[in-house]
Amino acid sequence: MYRHRLVIPVQWLIGIVIVGVMVVMAVALLGFSWHQSQRTLGATLEETSAQLVDTLEARTQALVRPARVAIDMLANGAPGEADDWDGRLAALPLMRAALEAHRLVDAVYIGYGSGDFLMFRAVDRMLESKRPDLVDSGGQDAAYLALVVDARPGQPPQSEWHLFDPSLAPLGRERLDQYFFDPRSRPWFQQAPEGDAPFLTAPYVFFNTGEIGISMARRRGDAVVGLDVASRDLGVGLDDLRLTPQTRMAVVTASGQALATTLDATLDPGPGNARQLSSFEDLAMPVLAQLLTTNVDQPPRRLSHDGRQWWGLVLPFVTLGGEATRLIAAVPEDELTSDVRQMMLESSLLAGIVTLALLPLGVLLGRRLGRPLRELSGQVEALGRYDFSACDGVGSRVTEVRGLSVALRRLARGIEGFGRITRVLNSEPRLDRMLTSILEDLLRGTGSRAGAIYLADEQDEGRFARIAREGEARDPDADPRSRELRLQEGSEAELEALIERFEAAGYLLQPLRNREGATLGLLALARRSLDDDDAHWRAFVAEVSAAAAVAIDLRRLLRGEARLLEGIVQLVAHAIDAKSPHTGSHCSRVPVLAEMIVEGIDRSEHGIYAETHFDATRRSAFHLAAWLHDCGKLAIPDEVMEKATKLEARYDRIHEIRTRFEVLWRDADVAYWQGRAHGGDPVTLERRRHARQQELIAAFECVAEANRGGEAISDELLERLNVIAEWRWWRHFDDRLGVSRDELKRMSREPLRRLPAEERLLADLPRHEIPWHRSRPAVAPDDPDNVWRFDMRPSELAGHQGELFNLRVSRGTLNEVERFRIQEHVVQTIMMLEALPWPAHLRRVPAIAGNHHERMDGTGYPRRLAMKDASLEERVMVMADVFEALTAADRPYKSAMTLSRALATLADMVREGHLDPEIFRLMLEQRIYSDYAERFLTPAQRDSVDTEALLARAGV
């Protein structure tokens, strides 16, 4: 029997141990860190002091050495007393080099024993308040100023400012009438010793600027060269030496004069974060005053001021004119320890968070680790082999973790790969990309090293072409994944033999079958191992293959339907072209031109279309609309579509009228012979017959000329036609015999006449008015059946074949009725296309196709839309339709225009507000018209084009 013992759940045990260890470690580490920070604070300040001393030494050398080099260069190159002023001014390049050699130099100068003085300084290093007015006259080129004091014997000294650009080219002068400066009275001139050693003055007030600073001078004979450094420049970079943000620092002389301070240590900060102070009592930080009695060799001392602890440092700076200067600094103790306090706070907070987080984690780990991990590992391995039925749970035992980790990673890869495969199957439109992505995910998810996917040829079912290939075979020489697989007879026996050949090479060959069982392709995957226990792996591959087969079948169906739709669309377009031999290329050329314009828009990198691009969906809708834009012509009678002359119906009725003239000609002959038979004068009769026949010839020429149509018909010709129409001829046969029922019905509106009947030579009869055999199109705005928002006035008749009515057409060959019938083709296009069940991405096809006769200003038809508010595709279609019509050489009623004339017509239409000006500009700038002309226009039409003149003509 087992004795009862205290039992603690493993989750509580692990949680208590983890939390306890973390608490102990956190307390120990925090205490040790605080103790160490206190110990190292003093040592850190001492090390920082030493580093500051080194830094100050380097700063001092950087300040003094370049200045000495500059003063030596000036002393060796400066002109002597005997030189005239032209010779002295020749030293300006040397003085400019001295300025550029030391960024802290405020001015360089030369004083002579005669009282002459030459000073050179950079404009940008002067305070704006100290710059002379001459600088403003130089503008942006003003770079340097030279002060020239000419102390002529027996005369008052003359002083001038000279302004120069960066290349020392003079920009101007300014006379100083009240400026009296004697360099011999300045300390730098008086104290400069003989010899090569330069002299550094004590701080003093500069004569020119009123600033406090120091000078370095060197005597050369009777002349002294020198340079100035303002104390504001001595303080440049002083803030960079701060140990903490609120550190106070100052450069102080032995006499207590503050040369430069940090910004926080001044009452009124000046330029460069430094200020010139007359005495140390002017400082705004009294804590620095406590350090005045501290020597530079003493260690950091602790100070107290205003309830705050400070650390004070006194460090050597530089010797000025025999007087040593010091750098004094006060550092707040709380800022020195702020990082340590922050670190302790963050460490404490982190320790608390980790402790609280590990408590439930310990319970969770205890619960997880209490299960028999060995059995669970076996189940996870089964799960990795895609045997989901083996996951039925286990008892509570602690076992190994390695197998669980490996199995879970494998499971995660498999599920992730399957998810990617599902997404690709549902979203990737291109079949080759889809299969390549599926193969990559299959290799990752199944652990296979290599694979390939083959697709069956739709025309040759026994041929399988390799679409995707990934990975490398163990033995490249025995790799069965050739570019093409072939089954001679396409039988199942041949397929089984091919599968066995792949199995022998270590590959699983899985057929990809659709729902009807047809083999769409083959999937080849290298087996993970040669063990026989891979049934679940094979089952998983089969499931994925089935999904891939469905996707392949679907995409092939969609691609086939797309090809079928494209074929039907082009079939309709070609049928329209074939129906009308005179306009047989319009429906084919307009799509080509329209897509040229769209491609030009896509190519645009500048201008209004730089950000406009057509994706595949937008291109597809536009392509279909362009090919279907004139499908309504199928409903328009051929005799209207192809009407080449005014009298043409199904044939040109000019022949009937010519026959009537022939009758009148013979009537003239008959009258002549009848007159001879009755004893008339032959000469008179012949003259009368000849005059009549000449009149008939002239009259028929008038009728023929009017029949051809043209730009306009003259008033004289109209009047002549009215006269000719009243001529009479005799009809001796019944004109109602042998006609169609429709024509007989129209003729019933005319009264019966006794034969022979006298007829007008050109007649407009009721039989010529052809009524609608169907209801008139619902295009009037007030028509309740007009659901398409048409804005047209329908013709009362379906046709009008009146002879005089047609000959009197003022322009072209179409009368008002026929013009409406021509315009009706757009109405029929819209009605046909809107009746189709377009999918969502093609719903704009009817609008793009049906609005190609609208205009930018709303004067087009059939809806009178303002195309300036329409889509870009609709405006492109308008331009393409007009340009093709102008350049077409196959119209029976007009001649083809040359390229330049057609573009000029387009320019006029743009100026008049009918066409889009930006599309017109695009056609010219990208020479789209030229590409179109090379393909479709005759050589005679392809003349030169002046694009600039056309743009100006269009007002673009």
Side-chain angles (χ1 to χ4, degrees):
M1 296 181 61
Y2 295 98
R3 297 177 60 184
H4 294 282
R5 298 179 179 180
L6 179 62
V7 179
I8 300 177
V10 67
Q11 59 265 29
W12 290 107
L13 180 61
I14 295 176
I16 292 172
V17 170
I18 292 176
V19 172
V21 170
M22 288 300 299
V23 169
V24 172
M25 290 180 62
V27 172
L29 289 175
L30 291 175
F32 180 75
S33 299
W34 178 257
H35 178 68
Q36 285 296 105
S37 65
Q38 294 298 318
R39 288 180 56 188
T40 58
L41 181 59
T44 302
L45 279 176
E46 293 184 4
E47 293 177 0
T48 303
S49 300
Q51 293 175 0
L52 279 176
V53 170
D54 295 337
T55 303
L56 287 174
E57 178 66 21
R59 292 286 177 92
T60 302
Q61 295 300 326
L63 173 65
V64 174
R65 286 177 181 173
R68 287 177 176 172
V69 173
I71 202 71
D72 290 341
M73 180 174 61
L74 286 172
N76 294 328
E81 181 67 36
D83 296 329
D84 56 10
W85 272 109
D86 292 337
R88 293 171 181 173
L89 291 177
L92 293 183
L94 188 63
M95 302 176 83
R96 179 183 63 180
L99 282 179
E100 295 176 350
H102 200 320
R103 66 181 181 88
L104 298 183
V105 173
D106 189 60
V108 296
Y109 43 82
I110 304 173
Y112 297 92
S114 63
D116 291 348
F117 180 66
L118 173 63
M119 181 179 65
F120 190 73
R121 64 192 308 156
V123 172
D124 59 358
R125 299 187 189 178
M126 296 180 65
L127 297 175
E128 291 188 7
S129 60
K130 302 298 181 180
R131 296 175 183 173
D133 297 337
L134 179 63
V135 174
D136 296 334
S137 65
Q140 296 182 351
D141 293 334
Y144 299 102
L145 279 168
L147 176 63
V148 177
V149 179
D150 187 1
R152 301 180 180 180
Q155 297 182 12
Q158 297 182 6
S159 303
E160 283 186 338
W161 281 112
H162 292 239
L163 182 64
F164 301 92
D165 66 6
S167 63
L168 294 182
L171 298 178
R173 295 184 180 187
E174 180 181 339
R175 182 78 175 269
L176 303 178
D177 296 332
Q178 302 297 324
Y179 188 85
F180 304 104
F181 176 76
D182 189 349
R184 296 168 295 186
S185 65
R186 305 305 295 168
W188 54 269
F189 191 95
Q190 298 171 354
Q191 300 174 16
E194 294 287 348
D196 296 334
F199 171 72
L200 194 65
T201 69
Y204 70 101
V205 178
F206 293 157
F207 183 85
N208 288 293
T209 63
E211 296 182 88
I212 296 177
I214 61 175
S215 297
M216 180 177 289
R218 177 182 169 185
R219 184 176 298 278
R220 183 188 175 215
D222 197 29
V224 176
V225 297
L227 56 83
D228 291 343
V229 179
S231 61
R232 60 182 173 86
D233 294 324
L234 292 175
V236 172
L238 197 60
D239 283 337
D240 296 339
L241 298 177
R242 292 189 181 196
L243 299 178
T244 66
Q246 296 189 31
T247 297
R248 272 59 169 172
M249 305 176 74
V251 177
V252 184
T253 65
S255 60
Q257 187 181 40
L259 297 181
T261 67
T262 58
L263 176 63
D264 295 335
T266 62
L267 290 169
D268 183 17
N273 288 354
R275 181 193 177 204
Q276 299 76 47
L277 303 174
S278 59
S279 66
F280 195 80
E281 285 72 14
D282 292 329
L283 289 175
M285 193 63 198
V287 68
L288 293 177
Q290 301 181 37
L291 298 173
L292 287 177
T293 59
T294 303
N295 296 327
V296 296
D297 55 351
Q298 291 184 358
R301 54 180 289 196
R302 203 168 183 184
L303 307 174
S304 178
H305 173 71
D306 198 17
R308 194 175 188 184
Q309 297 300 317
W310 299 74
W311 286 89
L313 303 173
V314 181
L315 305 173
F317 187 65
V318 70
T319 300
L320 303 175
E323 184 178 8
T325 58
R326 297 172 294 167
L327 175 69
I328 61 176
V331 185
E333 184 179 22
D334 55 356
E335 290 189 354
L336 286 174
T337 60
S338 62
D339 291 341
V340 177
R341 295 176 184 274
Q342 182 66 23
M343 181 189 68
M344 296 296 294
L345 178 61
E346 292 176 355
S347 300
S348 301
L349 182 61
L350 180 61
I353 293 175
V354 171
T355 301
L356 293 176
L358 287 178
L359 181 60
L361 180 61
V363 175
L364 180 61
L365 287 176
R367 181 179 301 172
R368 292 290 184 183
L369 295 176
R371 299 175 184 176
L373 297 184
R374 187 183 306 276
E375 184 179 354
L376 182 59
S377 177
Q379 293 187 10
V380 174
E381 286 288 350
L383 185 63
R385 297 191 301 270
Y386 313 107
D387 182 11
F388 299 98
S389 62
C391 300
D392 55 355
V394 294
S396 177
R397 289 184 180 272
V398 178
T399 58
E400 303 163 354
V401 179
R402 184 180 300 273
L404 174 62
S405 177
V406 173
L408 287 177
R409 284 198 300 269
R410 183 174 298 170
L411 174 62
R413 286 198 304 268
I415 295 176
E416 182 182 6
F418 188 76
R420 282 196 299 269
I421 290 173
T422 303
R423 289 194 297 272
V424 170
L425 290 175
N426 291 332
S427 62
E428 177 56 57
R430 291 187 53 177
L431 187 58
D432 54 346
R433 290 183 181 178
M434 180 194 77
L435 295 179
T436 300
S437 179
I438 287 175
L439 182 59
E440 292 173 354
D441 291 331
L442 270 176
L443 295 183
R444 284 194 294 265
T446 62
S448 179
R449 68 183 180 280
I453 295 180
Y454 296 83
L455 280 186
D457 192 324
E458 294 184 80
Q459 306 301 324
D460 184 1
E461 296 182 356
R463 177 180 174 273
F464 293 84
R466 189 179 68 196
I467 302 300
R469 182 181 185 274
E470 296 292 335
E472 297 297 332
R474 288 194 179 98
D475 184 4
D477 296 333
D479 191 351
R481 298 174 297 164
S482 60
R483 290 183 176 275
E484 181 179 308
L485 302 177
R486 178 167 289 279
L487 303 178
Q488 296 298 331
E489 299 181 0
S491 63
E492 287 295 324
E494 282 188 289
L495 180 58
E496 291 296 332
L498 186 61
I499 292 174
E500 291 178 2
R501 180 160 68 84
F502 270 78
E503 285 284 348
Y507 283 82
L508 166 66
L509 189 64
Q510 177 67 42
L512 305 176
R513 304 181 188 273
N514 62 9
R515 289 168 292 182
E516 288 77 22
T519 303
L520 303 177
L522 299 171
L523 168 64
L525 283 181
R527 295 169 58 190
R528 294 183 300 177
S529 66
L530 299 180
D531 298 336
D532 295 333
D533 188 15
D534 62 352
H536 299 294
W537 179 82
R538 289 173 178 267
F540 177 77
V541 173
E543 290 293 334
V544 176
S545 300
V550 172
I552 293 172
D553 194 26
L554 176 60
R555 278 160 179 75
R556 281 194 166 180
L557 288 174
L558 292 176
R559 188 172 61 187
E561 290 178 356
R563 288 200 301 264
L564 178 61
L565 176 59
E566 176 73 12
I568 293 175
V569 167
Q570 295 199 17
L571 175 66
V572 172
H574 292 316
I576 297 171
D577 288 343
K579 178 174 179 283
S580 176
H582 293 110
T583 59
S585 301
H586 178 77
C587 291
S588 301
R589 290 182 179 179
V590 169
V592 174
L593 176 58
E595 293 187 6
M596 283 182 176
I597 298 175
V598 167
E599 290 170 2
I601 293 172
D602 267 341
R603 289 194 304 266
S604 296
E605 298 179 356
H606 307 285
I608 191 173
Y609 298 127
E611 303 298 327
T612 303
H613 299 287
F614 286 76
D615 55 20
T617 301
R618 195 174 178 185
R619 277 286 187 98
S620 176
F622 182 77
H623 176 78
L624 292 176
W627 279 95
L628 291 172
H629 78 284
D630 268 350
C631 65
K633 286 183 177 178
L634 292 171
I636 307 304
D638 294 345
E639 59 268 22
V640 176
M641 291 296 302
E642 300 182 13
K643 189 177 182 184
T645 64
K646 296 179 181 180
L647 292 174
E648 186 174 3
R650 286 189 172 90
Y651 67 98
D652 195 341
R653 292 176 295 150
I654 190 68
H655 305 300
E656 289 186 15
I657 295 175
R658 187 180 65 250
T659 301
R660 297 174 194 168
F661 275 91
E662 295 285 356
V663 171
L664 294 180
W665 180 283
R666 284 164 179 74
D667 286 346
D669 284 338
V670 171
Y672 169 79
W673 291 110
Q674 285 180 343
R676 289 287 301 273
H678 289 85
D681 180 28
V683 176
T684 303
L685 293 174
E686 177 61 29
R687 185 181 301 112
R688 187 181 301 165
R689 178 177 69 172
H690 179 73
R692 176 59 173 165
Q693 289 176 343
Q694 292 302 313
E695 184 183 24
L696 291 174
I697 292 174
F700 182 73
E701 288 177 353
C702 289
V703 174
E705 179 184 354
N707 186 45
R708 283 195 299 268
E711 295 299 325
I713 187 170
S714 65
D715 293 338
E716 292 80 5
L717 182 57
L718 288 175
E719 184 62 30
R720 179 64 174 155
L721 289 174
N722 291 333
V723 172
I724 295 171
E726 295 301 325
W727 292 359
R728 296 293 194 267
W729 65 281
W730 288 92
R731 175 174 58 84
H732 296 79
F733 297 93
D734 189 350
D735 57 0
R736 304 191 184 199
L737 296 178
V739 299
S740 68
R741 294 180 180 177
D742 289 339
E743 188 173 3
L744 186 61
K745 184 177 180 181
R746 296 198 303 270
M747 294 174 69
S748 64
R749 293 176 291 179
E750 303 173 14
L752 288 173
R753 300 169 63 192
R754 185 186 302 273
L755 296 177
E758 188 179 39
E759 301 283 359
R760 296 177 62 190
L761 185 61
L762 300 176
D764 288 338
L765 302 174
R767 70 182 72 173
H768 292 146
E769 298 178 358
I770 303 174
W772 291 96
H773 293 287
R774 52 180 171 85
S775 59
R776 286 188 302 169
V779 296
D782 55 354
D783 193 324
D785 295 330
N786 182 8
V787 298
W788 301 276
R789 296 178 292 108
F790 297 135
D791 188 1
M792 300 175 66
R793 290 299 171 186
S795 171
E796 296 294 332
L797 299 172
H800 197 309
Q801 296 180 355
E803 296 163 351
L804 187 60
F805 177 81
N806 281 277
L807 288 172
R808 289 173 59 86
V809 169
S810 61
R811 189 181 299 271
T813 63
L814 298 177
N815 58 46
E816 296 178 359
V817 177
E818 292 163 341
R819 192 171 302 280
F820 172 79
R821 295 304 305 274
I822 288 292
Q823 294 178 348
E824 188 192 359
H825 85 275
V826 189
V827 173
Q828 295 298 330
T829 294
I830 294 174
M831 295 171 64
M832 289 178 182
L833 294 181
E834 289 195 357
L836 297 177
W838 296 102
H841 68 285
L842 298 177
R843 285 178 183 169
R844 288 199 49 78
V845 168
I848 298 172
N851 292 338
H852 66 276
H853 281 291
E854 301 288 355
R855 294 293 180 260
M856 296 288 287
D857 56 0
T859 60
Y861 64 91
R863 292 175 172 140
R864 299 186 181 276
L865 300 176
M867 295 303 287
K868 61 182 181 181
D869 301 324
S871 67
L872 179 58
E873 291 92 327
E874 294 171 62
R875 301 198 299 273
V876 168
M877 283 301 303
V878 173
M879 183 70 72
D881 188 78
V882 173
F883 184 66
E884 194 284 331
L886 293 175
T887 57
D890 53 5
R891 300 298 191 268
Y893 45 82
K894 75 175 189 66
S895 300
M897 289 186 181
T898 61
L899 193 57
S900 59
R901 183 183 175 192
L903 291 173
T905 303
L906 289 184
D908 294 339
M909 296 182 71
V910 170
R911 187 185 66 252
E912 293 166 2
H914 298 326
L915 300 179
D916 190 313
E918 293 301 329
I919 296 177
F920 181 67
R921 180 198 298 273
L922 179 82
M923 287 182 62
L924 295 180
E925 291 179 348
Q926 297 202 15
R927 296 185 60 82
I928 295 172
Y929 67 88
S930 179
D931 296 338
Y932 178 81
E934 289 295 328
R935 293 184 59 179
F936 298 112
L937 300 192
T938 63
Q941 291 180 266
R942 299 197 293 267
D943 58 349
S944 61
V945 173
D946 186 348
T947 57
E948 295 298 329
L950 288 171
L951 289 173
R953 181 169 181 168
V956 178

